[in-house]
Amino acid sequence: MTTATTHQLLLPGQAAAPEGPVDMSPMYAMHHAFRRDLRDFAAAVTATPLHDEGTWRRLDERWATFCHELHNHHSKEDELVWPLLLEAVRAAGDTESEHVLEEMEAEHDQIDPLLASTTEAFAAQRTRPDEDVRGRLHGLLTSFLQVLDQHLRHEEAEAMVVLQRYVDPTEWAVLERTKLNKGMTLRDAAFLVPWIFKGLSDRDAATLRAKLPPPLKVVDVVSRRGFARREAATFRHLA
């Protein structure tokens, strides 16, 4: 196992960026995007007039995309990342790290009910806007952010230490190429790439862009304007 370290991205709101050989910038950028989206959704739910049916429709559709990205992110961790680490820590007899990884899976189970409840509330607000539903939806989003942020902070501060200790960068690169990014379509990338840059400082965005593989750099250039227009329409009352 190499002991070389690589520069880790530390973004606003992120709990930690443990040193190690594996560059976890893409994961940290997604964590930032999840937190940012939940704050934006909560603010938009408060600011959007009840009569603005078009914006409520766009918010509901954008929420579905958020759910897809979060579910996909957690599913791949549960199916690919945590099992890989569990095998390594069990072989090493590292019971403390094993406990951390088991907590990661358990925390994912806490998030699924919030996803379902918030999705139902968005659908209700879209079809029959109501102040009571708005209030319930805002409360759900606020709770969701608290629960998800606590999980992400736990993952950043502890689970990433385990990953850096037990995963070789070459092994991680193969996992990313063959499994973690498997099945990503051009349409998926056209949303995902500009999405992870939204709200980043110019400095952090430049650091992250430098790490993109050439095909995704092209996607970034051709998709960012369309993404920005759609986001502006969806969150129009935050301007």
Side-chain angles (χ1 to χ4, degrees):
M1 176 78 69
T2 179
T3 58
T5 62
T6 186
H7 176 73
Q8 302 294 332
L9 193 64
L10 183 62
L11 298 172
Q14 188 176 320
E19 292 185 357
V22 182
D23 184 2
M24 298 307 296
S25 297
M27 178 175 285
Y28 296 145
M30 292 195 73
H31 286 189
H32 176 269
F34 291 137
R35 290 174 168 119
R36 178 210 64 222
D37 267 10
L38 286 173
R39 288 193 298 268
D40 286 352
F41 277 120
V45 163
T46 298
T48 301
L50 288 181
H51 66 268
D52 190 347
E53 296 180 3
T55 300
W56 286 114
R57 173 181 54 79
R58 285 188 287 269
L59 284 167
D60 185 35
E61 293 170 351
R62 178 64 167 73
W63 174 255
T65 305
F66 169 88
C67 291
H68 170 77
E69 295 300 339
L70 182 61
H71 178 73
N72 188 52
H73 181 75
H74 283 170
S75 293
K76 288 183 176 179
E77 286 180 339
D78 288 341
E79 295 168 7
L80 301 170
V81 179
W82 307 145
L84 172 69
L85 293 177
L86 279 168
E87 181 179 0
V89 301
R90 285 169 178 164
D94 185 350
T95 55
E96 182 177 350
S97 294
E98 182 177 356
H99 179 62
V100 169
L101 298 173
E102 289 172 345
E103 288 178 330
M104 292 297 104
E105 294 182 345
E107 288 169 12
H108 284 181
D109 291 338
Q110 297 173 6
I111 291 167
D112 289 341
L114 279 169
L115 268 177
S117 297
T118 309
T119 297
E120 291 174 2
F122 259 114
Q125 186 70 352
R126 172 180 176 173
T127 57
R128 191 166 57 189
D130 178 86
E131 284 293 351
D132 290 340
V133 177
R134 185 210 296 270
R136 181 163 62 90
L137 180 54
H138 185 269
L140 285 166
L141 287 164
T142 301
S143 296
F144 200 154
L145 177 57
Q146 292 173 345
V147 171
L148 183 62
D149 181 61
Q150 184 177 15
H151 164 66
L152 295 180
R153 293 179 68 83
H154 190 188
E155 183 175 314
E156 292 156 356
E158 297 189 37
M160 291 303 99
V161 172
V162 179
L163 187 146
Q164 296 290 4
R165 184 180 301 148
Y166 287 99
V167 177
D168 183 272
T170 301
E171 181 182 22
W172 183 257
V174 171
L175 183 65
E176 280 190 315
R177 185 176 65 253
T178 62
K179 295 183 178 180
L180 292 178
N181 295 330
K182 185 178 180 180
M184 181 187 295
T185 66
L186 183 58
R187 182 177 181 178
D188 294 334
F191 172 81
L192 187 63
V193 175
W195 175 71
I196 64 173
F197 286 107
K198 181 183 175 184
L200 295 183
S201 68
D202 290 344
R203 179 178 179 179
D204 288 334
T207 298
L208 189 59
R209 282 196 169 95
K211 299 172 182 288
L212 289 177
L216 293 186
K217 288 182 179 180
V218 175
V219 171
D220 176 38
V221 171
V222 302
S223 64
R224 69 175 73 161
R225 287 186 179 179
F227 173 83
R229 284 194 300 271
R230 292 187 294 274
E231 290 290 280
T234 301
F235 299 99
R236 62 191 296 262
H237 295 289
L238 298 188

